[in-house]
């Protein structure tokens, strides 16, 4: 009994977050320290002359530490890279972090020069020093916040991130290795799984009855969550802000997941305005985005919907301030993560498909 209560409490702490204010221009985050980035999948070249894609090959599904350097730098580049080298050594040979150093001087930094620059720092196989075609390198630098028109004046920060949870921090690159290690621990914790859910999961999620857009009644846990991977978001049909763009975006995720939605994957959109959202209005809303089978738009008695929303951290007294968080979970394994619902479609699909990969 004690273990069951601890499991339920751990899940509550993971999923219950304050409601997020919404507008069409900005999606705020629960913690202002964290950045949300769109990492471009640009082709670059590493210090061994091998072409790699920044997102697909190096960042996706990883915890990463990224800095920005150039080989002719006479000031901060070597000390900053030395600090990252200490971080790598502290983490050990089997560490789960990937290190990336991107040149700010693509005109001069060939793979050979990057290899020479890297050699004194003894980088292991999980540390890539990158150059490439100028427009591609610039695209990467701009997206990651490392671009500067004056390379001599570039800022000495390390970008630490967890791509699965879409959590990123900027950490002082000339400080102690311990500050970077702490940043790594923070972003890794953002995607840490809760304890195993069985047998507490049914009691936590409850079998509260909700009604879908077709008028069918479902028990929330037994009928919609148990034994499946699940994507859960929050919306309401009269929303004038994020709801339509978010639903359109998630419809693209559904298309990418294909026939698995409705089989081993379920998508759930919970109304944050059950007093006004009827099955009929939810059906009209869903139809606008051509959603397929396996995606349920849920309403019901206000007290029932409120109970479920509170369990998931989606409850709000004011629908216009509802959360734009997307919950992605595997009820069979107890692995749950949170992501911005407007995150890159391919990133969200990858998270669903690789949710249970070792971290």
């Amino acid at each position: 009994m004690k273990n069951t209560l601890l499991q339920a409490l751990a899940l509550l702490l993971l999923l219950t977050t304050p409601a997020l204010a919404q507008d069409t221009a900005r999606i705020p985050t629960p913690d202002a320290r964290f950045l949300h980035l769109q990492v471009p999948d640009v082709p670059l070249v590493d210090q061994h002359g091998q072409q790699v894609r920044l997102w697909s090959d190096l960042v996706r599904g990883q915890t990463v530490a990224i800095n920005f350097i150039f080989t002719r730098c006479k000031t901060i580049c070597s000390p900053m890279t030395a600090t990252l080298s200490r971080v790598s050594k502290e983490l050990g040979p089997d560490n789960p972090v990937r290190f990336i150093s991107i040149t700010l001087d693509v005109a001069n930094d060939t793979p050979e020069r990057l290899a020479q620059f890297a050699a004194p720092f003894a980088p292991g196989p999980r540390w890539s020093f990158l150059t490439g075609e100028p427009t591609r390198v610039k695209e990467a630098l701009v997206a990651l916040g490392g671009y500067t028109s004056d390379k001599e004046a570039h800022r000495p920060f390390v970008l630490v991130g967890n791509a699965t949870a879409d959590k990123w921090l900027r950490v002082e690159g000339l400080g102690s290795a311990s500050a970077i290690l702490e940043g790594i621990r923070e972003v890794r914790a953002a995607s840490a799984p809760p304890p195993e859910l069985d047998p507490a999961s049914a009691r936590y999620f409850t079998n509260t009855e909700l009604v879908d857009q077709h008028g069918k009644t479902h028990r929330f846990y037994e009928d919609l969550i148990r034994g499946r991977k699940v994507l859960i978001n929050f919306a309401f049909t009269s929303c004038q802000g994020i709801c339509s763009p978010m639903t359109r975006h998630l419809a693209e995720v559904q298309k990418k997941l294909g026939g698995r939605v409705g089989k081993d994957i379920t998508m759930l959109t919970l109304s944050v305005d059950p007093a006004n959202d009827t099955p009929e209005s939810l059906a009209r809303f869903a139809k606008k985005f051509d959603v397929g089978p396996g995606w349920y738009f849920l309403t019901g008695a206000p007290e029932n919907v409120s109970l479920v929303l509170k369990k998931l951290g989606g409850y709000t007294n004011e629908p216009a301030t509802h959360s734009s968080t997307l919950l992605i979970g595997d009820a069979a394994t107890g692995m749950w993560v949170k992501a911005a619902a407007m995150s890159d479609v391919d990133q969200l699909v990858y998270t669903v498909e690789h949710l249970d990969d070792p971290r």
Side-chain angles (χ1 to χ4, degrees):
M1 179 66 178
K2 181 179 179 182
N3 287 339
T4 297
L5 292 174
L6 288 174
Q7 290 169 341
L9 178 60
L11 185 62
L12 178 65
L13 291 173
L14 178 75
L15 294 181
T16 303
T17 58
L20 306 180
Q22 301 300 324
D23 57 50
T24 57
R26 181 175 65 87
I27 303 173
T29 63
D31 190 331
R33 296 172 308 146
F34 286 120
L35 309 170
H36 292 283
L37 303 177
Q38 295 292 329
V39 181
D41 201 23
V42 291
L44 301 174
V45 181
D46 69 16
Q47 71 269 36
H48 308 297
Q50 299 297 312
Q51 182 168 296
V52 293
R53 299 195 73 91
L54 181 60
W55 168 255
S56 300
D57 298 329
L58 300 181
V59 175
R60 181 169 62 181
Q62 302 286 327
T63 297
V64 296
I66 304 172
N67 73 336
F68 310 96
I69 53 91
F70 61 104
T71 63
R72 297 193 299 177
C73 176
K74 303 300 183 184
T75 55
I76 63 176
C77 298
S78 289
M80 183 167 49
T81 307
T83 300
L84 271 189
S85 180
R86 289 195 294 274
V87 171
S88 179
K89 288 180 173 62
E90 286 278 344
L91 290 169
D94 298 321
N95 81 79
V97 178
R98 188 181 293 281
F99 294 84
I100 300 170
S101 296
I102 304 177
T103 183
L104 296 162
D105 187 14
V106 68
N108 291 287
D109 283 347
T110 63
E112 294 77 15
R113 286 176 178 167
L114 286 172
Q116 291 170 5
F117 176 87
F121 306 105
R126 290 180 63 79
W127 193 340
S128 300
F129 288 76
L130 301 175
T131 186
E133 198 275 322
T135 58
R136 299 298 194 179
V137 173
K138 182 177 180 180
E139 183 180 351
L141 292 172
V142 169
L144 299 174
Y147 177 74
T148 174
S149 58
D150 180 4
K151 60 182 178 293
E152 299 288 351
H154 74 282
R155 293 177 295 163
F157 71 85
V158 176
L159 184 64
V160 177
N162 182 287
T164 300
D166 188 26
K167 298 291 186 182
W168 299 84
L169 290 171
R170 289 193 181 100
V171 183
E172 172 59 47
L174 291 176
S176 66
S178 61
I180 299 173
L181 286 164
E182 178 58 30
I184 288 170
R185 282 191 287 268
E186 279 198 68
V187 297
R188 290 191 68 203
S191 67
E196 289 293 326
L197 298 184
D198 285 331
S201 54
R203 285 191 290 276
Y204 179 80
F205 286 110
T206 79
N207 273 322
T208 303
E209 291 189 344
L210 301 177
V211 182
D212 70 20
Q213 71 268 38
H214 307 297
K216 183 177 179 180
T217 299
H218 301 269
R219 297 169 298 173
F220 186 63
Y221 176 73
E222 291 291 336
D223 298 334
L224 300 174
I225 293 180
R226 184 178 181 182
R228 302 175 177 89
K229 286 185 176 179
V230 188
L231 292 79
I232 305 174
N233 76 301
F234 313 98
F236 65 110
T237 61
S238 61
C239 176
Q240 300 300 309
I242 192 63
C243 298
S244 289
M246 178 169 57
T247 307
R248 184 177 297 110
H249 191 73
L250 292 177
E252 293 301 313
V253 174
Q254 184 184 36
K255 289 176 184 175
K256 289 263 187 174
L257 290 170
R260 294 185 62 187
V261 179
K263 294 181 181 177
D264 63 320
I265 297 173
T266 298
M267 297 178 67
L268 306 176
T269 295
L270 274 72
S271 171
V272 294
D273 187 19
N276 295 296
D277 280 345
T278 63
E280 294 78 12
S281 67
L282 286 171
R284 289 193 296 270
F285 183 79
K287 186 177 180 180
K288 290 193 297 183
F289 306 103
D290 195 26
V291 305
W295 189 348
Y296 301 90
F297 290 71
L298 300 169
T299 186
E303 62 271 20
N304 286 5
V305 177
S306 295
L307 174 62
V308 174
L309 289 172
K310 288 175 182 177
K311 292 287 186 178
L312 300 175
Y315 178 79
T316 175
N317 287 317
E318 175 49 58
T321 65
H322 72 88
S323 170
S324 66
T325 295
L326 178 68
L327 303 177
I328 303 174
D330 187 336
T333 65
M335 176 68 77
W336 290 83
V337 299
K338 294 185 285 186
M342 295 294 284
S343 296
D344 179 78
V345 168
D346 288 333
Q347 292 183 31
L348 292 175
V349 170
Y350 184 90
T351 300
V352 173
E353 292 178 341
H354 297 266
L355 186 63
D356 299 309
D357 287 357
R359 283 174 169 75

